[in-house]
Amino acid sequence: MYGPDSYSRIKKQKEIIAEYASKHSGLTIGRFDFGDEFKNFVRSGSLFGVKKLAVISNLTTTDTEKESVLFLKSLVKDESTIVLVSEDKKL
């Protein structure tokens, strides 16, 4: 998701998270800036559920944008982890 209107983005985020949580009991949700904490969340196993939802922001402000893109592409086939990216600008 992207756009300069943060209110609308946050509202849409809440809708997506609520819908996803209703479909997957035991969902683990984390909110992060792109970095080591996010990577650890994605790589680690979930204690209570099989699905994880990570909401990340500030992806475009990272110094290693190429690394972040490669890492996100590596998650495409991971069906247990969903990543929701929220930014001001289109990536």
Side-chain angles (χ1 to χ4, degrees):
M1 300 183 322
Y2 70 94
D5 183 5
S6 62
Y7 175 79
S8 295
R9 272 196 339 263
I10 291 170
K11 184 178 175 185
K12 187 63 177 177
Q13 265 183 33
K14 288 179 181 180
E15 290 173 12
I16 292 170
I17 291 169
E19 183 178 338
Y20 202 77
S22 71
K23 291 181 181 179
H24 303 282
S25 63
L27 178 68
T28 303
I29 301 172
R31 296 176 191 272
F32 309 95
D33 286 339
F34 186 84
D36 290 335
E37 190 177 357
F38 164 68
K39 290 177 184 178
N40 290 336
F41 175 79
V42 171
R43 290 178 183 148
S44 68
S46 179
L47 293 176
F48 303 107
V50 291
K51 296 281 185 179
K52 295 184 283 186
L53 174 65
V55 180
I56 60 171
S57 55
N58 299 321
L59 184 63
T60 56
T61 59
T62 61
D63 294 332
T64 56
E65 190 171 332
K66 184 176 181 180
E67 175 193 345
S68 60
V69 169
L70 291 173
F71 186 79
L72 290 173
K73 283 184 178 183
S74 74
L75 299 175
V76 170
K77 294 181 182 179
D78 182 1
E79 293 183 10
S80 66
T81 304
I82 301 301
V83 179
L84 178 62
V85 179
S86 178
E87 291 291 326
D88 292 338
K89 301 175 186 174
K90 186 175 180 179
L91 299 176

